[in-house]
Amino acid sequence: MSGGHSEYVPGNGVSKWLDERLPLPRLVYDSFIAYPVPRNLNSWYTFGAILMVMLVVMILTGVTLAMHYAASTLLAFESVEHIERNVNYGWLIRSVHANGASMFFIAVYIHMFRGMYYGSYKAPREVLWILGVLIFLLMMATAFMGYVLPWGQMSFHGAAVITGFFSAIPLVGPGVQEWLLGGPAVDNATLNRFFSLHYLLPFMITGVVILHVWALHVTGQTNPTGVEVKNMKKETVPFTPFATIKDALAIALFFVMFAWFVFYLPDYLGHADNYIPADPLKTPNHIVPEWYFLPFYAILRAITFDISIPFTGIVLINSKLGGVIAMFASIAILVFLPWLDSSKVRSGAYRPLFKQFYWMFAVVCVLLGWLGSRPAEGSGFVGMITQGDLVGNYVAYMQILTAYYFAHFLVILPWLGKFEKPAKVPPSIADAVLAESNGRVSAQPAE
């Protein structure tokens, strides 16, 4: 699907002159107009386009806000209030940018879970998947630094708590923490660094997105059947107008939800304490990050025990370092997903056992997000077993769900590939489309 002769024909002398020197119109035509996509793509494949539009929205609103923002601990909070109250349409720009971060993560989580269900990470698309994970990491870094910029109570103390975990890294930890903060504590240097990086990282994300799209065009688009295209004429359609119309409808519907939060619930996804100016002497009762970080925050706090050499008392990894390792490992493990899933069947639509474990994993991620918003209370899993500590033992539930999170990748997926008996996969996309149109979608076990 990635090769083939270009069908672009310059329409006039100017476009022909440009095509011979800088074939940008040809590139756009081949990539977004004539590019062939599988004809059986469903609505879950529209979130890539939604994410590209959201990236543009976030960059435009972010650049506009940067024109009025003051990266100073004395002026940051007041400058945000100035944008909200005195800048023309500043309230709208700030609401779009603040809520846009949440919309961005909603779309990226759906996009990732769609890729996990339909096996979009499998060969030959490993690099495509890894680039997607890299984009996710850059998004998380960008969002965290952006959350610090309003310089409210949650911004300040959240930055202090999260950067404090880096000090747990042996030997280099304190130095890394001091480098991040620009000094011994969260202060003006920290705010300046975070503002600079928050402004820079979206353009880095744009660069990786270009590589991501390039890798997609090299390997070709996946589809719900997981079957590669065999007949270009029967099994594909031009990107425009078929995919663009579907993407445009999905973008419009997504922006209806986005507009609901912007105009009617602009502060719903924020935290009340962040509307109080930062005060190092007053710590909020319960420090929590934004909702899209909560599952990983729960994994971080699930490690409340030290790892020691038995009968010696020598601690190899203390609980603080263990939490940091678990948190970063929960993201890094996604990079190895193409090799952890040993099944030869790409799409989860034809894997009955995989479907059950997939939805269990999705529920576990949602529950981890909820637990991340709860206080780290309880005696943990050991206390649950020995003392019957069930009510309010949030730490124990964090530990159980964290164990399942890693077991899904390290135990369940490798095991399923060896023992699961998948349903019969259609020999081609054309056969799958015809079967669906005739209402004869096969779900019989393969012989």
Side-chain angles (χ1 to χ4, degrees):
M1 292 178 62
S2 59
H5 179 70
S6 175
E7 299 178 357
Y8 174 73
V9 178
N12 51 58
V14 174
S15 58
K16 182 179 179 180
W17 178 86
L18 180 61
D19 185 60
E20 293 173 350
R21 292 158 176 81
L22 182 65
L24 184 60
R26 181 182 296 274
L27 176 64
V28 173
Y29 180 86
D30 293 342
S31 301
F32 301 104
I33 297 178
Y35 178 72
V37 295
R39 66 188 308 126
N40 62 334
L41 296 185
N42 57 34
S43 299
W44 296 112
Y45 284 82
T46 60
F47 282 89
I50 291 172
L51 285 167
M52 292 188 71
V53 173
M54 286 302 306
L55 178 60
V56 173
V57 169
M58 295 300 289
I59 289 176
L60 292 178
T61 54
V63 170
T64 305
L65 291 172
M67 297 176 183
H68 303 278
Y69 177 76
S72 164
T73 55
L74 299 177
L75 301 173
F77 188 87
E78 286 75 11
S79 69
V80 174
E81 292 298 309
H82 168 72
I83 291 170
E84 292 264 11
R85 301 173 188 276
N86 301 324
V87 176
N88 291 337
Y89 297 102
W91 63 271
L92 177 61
I93 298 169
R94 204 245 166 164
S95 182
V96 168
H97 194 74
N99 288 285
S102 291
M103 298 301 109
F104 211 157
F105 274 94
I106 288 174
V108 82
Y109 281 133
I110 294 175
H111 191 61
M112 291 174 67
F113 271 88
R114 188 272 300 165
M116 294 172 68
Y117 184 80
Y118 290 123
S120 300
Y121 49 84
K122 293 191 175 183
R125 299 175 178 86
E126 300 95 332
V127 173
L128 174 67
W129 175 260
I130 292 171
L131 287 171
V133 176
L134 179 58
I135 293 170
F136 179 55
L137 280 170
L138 291 172
M139 283 180 58
M140 295 183 74
T142 305
F144 169 65
M145 293 174 184
Y147 189 53
V148 176
L149 299 187
W151 209 243
Q153 278 287 74
M154 201 58 65
S155 297
F156 175 86
H157 291 282
V161 169
I162 298 302
T163 56
F165 285 110
F166 287 93
S167 65
I169 302 174
L171 301 178
V172 300
V176 171
Q177 181 190 18
E178 186 171 347
W179 177 81
L180 284 171
L181 297 179
V186 178
D187 208 336
N188 198 72
T190 310
L191 186 60
N192 273 278
R193 285 171 182 243
F194 280 23
F195 174 65
S196 300
L197 291 172
H198 182 70
Y199 193 94
L200 171 66
L201 286 176
F203 298 100
M204 294 180 62
I205 292 174
T206 303
V208 183
V209 166
I210 293 172
L211 292 177
H212 188 66
V213 174
W214 184 9
L216 173 66
H217 284 205
V218 169
T219 59
Q221 178 76 57
T222 58
N223 62 88
T225 64
V227 180
E228 298 293 348
V229 172
K230 296 181 176 66
N231 189 318
M232 296 289 289
K233 292 183 178 180
K234 291 183 178 180
E235 299 177 351
T236 65
V237 292
F239 187 85
T240 302
F242 297 97
T244 49
I245 290 177
K246 185 181 291 187
D247 288 345
L249 176 60
I251 292 169
L253 294 176
F254 187 83
F255 268 71
V256 169
M257 178 185 70
F258 187 9
W260 175 263
F261 281 95
V262 169
F263 292 106
Y264 295 101
L265 299 169
D267 303 318
Y268 182 78
L269 297 173
H271 198 285
D273 284 343
N274 223 31
Y275 295 91
I276 302 172
D279 187 347
L281 302 179
K282 295 181 180 179
T283 304
N285 294 328
H286 183 37
I287 299 173
V288 292
E290 291 280 62
W291 69 266
Y292 36 80
F293 293 136
L294 291 176
F296 306 103
Y297 190 55
I299 292 173
L300 171 75
R301 298 191 299 167
I303 311 302
T304 58
F305 49 87
D306 297 335
I307 299 176
S308 308
I309 299 176
F311 310 112
T312 64
I314 300 175
V315 177
L316 296 177
I317 301 177
N318 60 35
S319 59
K320 186 176 181 180
L321 176 59
V324 174
I325 293 174
M327 181 182 68
F328 283 109
S330 65
I331 303 171
I333 201 170
L334 295 173
V335 173
F336 302 97
L337 182 56
W339 298 276
L340 293 172
D341 187 353
S342 59
S343 176
K344 295 181 180 180
V345 176
R346 177 176 286 115
S347 175
Y350 302 97
R351 301 177 61 187
L353 280 178
F354 172 83
K355 286 182 183 179
Q356 299 178 35
F357 285 109
Y358 171 86
W359 289 113
M360 287 176 62
F361 176 75
V363 170
V364 164
C365 291
V366 172
L367 291 176
L368 279 171
W370 178 76
L371 288 170
S373 66
R374 302 292 93 192
E377 297 175 349
S379 55
F381 180 73
V382 175
M384 174 183 287
I385 299 300
T386 59
Q387 305 170 19
D389 185 11
L390 298 175
V391 180
N393 193 351
Y394 297 121
V395 172
Y397 299 121
M398 290 178 192
Q399 292 172 346
I400 294 170
L401 295 181
T402 296
Y404 185 89
Y405 179 94
F406 286 103
H408 178 81
F409 294 104
L410 299 175
V411 180
I412 294 173
L413 289 182
W415 175 82
L416 282 177
K418 296 180 180 179
F419 297 99
E420 182 184 37
K421 191 173 184 179
K424 186 176 181 179
V425 179
S428 68
I429 294 174
D431 291 330
V433 172
L434 289 174
E436 290 181 5
S437 63
N438 294 329
R440 300 196 309 270
V441 180
S442 174
Q444 300 300 321
E447 297 180 358

